[in-house]
Amino acid sequence: MSEHYKGRIIDPRAYKLSDGTGWSAKVCIAENVDSETTIDIPFSLIDIFPTKESAIQAALAHGKQEVDKRIRSSEIENIFDEANKLPAVSRQPFGPSTNLGVTADLGSARDGHSQPVPRLKTPDDPFRS
């Protein structure tokens, strides 16, 4: 009784309790990573259900919630990654009057052109010249 949901396969399962007092439930969520790899993530529900059908429905609902939660968290992660991405900079000689081999960080000026970012001389920093 698997169901496709937002690119994943949700497989709910119900198990009759040995004492006959009800049913337990488990759900596996299958996600294709690439053409050869599939990840199965199992979740066990802690509730006891009166019928097999109610256990399966609860497992299916829980599986959908987990898929939605993971999609939202990955979307939020992508937003943070984009917001915190540093711009790419190239390193070029500071100018024709500079000694060869000495480079400066480049930034974007307001007009969009690259311009060198001046280095601060700090006596405590042995890596700055």
Side-chain angles (χ1 to χ4, degrees), residues 14-90:
Y15 303 94
K16 189 170 188 172
L17 298 176
S18 60
D19 62 2
T21 58
W23 295 79
S24 65
K26 178 179 173 182
V27 62
C28 289
I29 301 171
E31 181 175 353
N32 291 330
V33 176
D34 56 36
S35 62
E36 299 176 6
T37 308
T38 301
I39 297 175
D40 288 329
I41 305 168
F43 295 94
S44 295
L45 281 68
I46 58 172
D47 297 329
I48 296 174
F49 302 94
T51 65
K52 180 178 182 180
E53 292 77 23
S54 63
I56 288 175
Q57 289 304 316
L60 190 59
H62 184 76
K64 288 179 179 181
Q65 287 175 346
E66 287 296 326
V67 168
D68 290 340
K69 211 184 324 180
R70 290 178 187 276
I71 288 174
R72 276 194 304 274
S73 65
S74 68
E75 287 173 353
I76 290 169
E77 188 176 308
N78 289 340
I79 291 169
F80 279 123
D81 288 346
E82 276 300 312
N84 294 319
K85 189 188 311 183
L86 295 174
V89 295
S90 62

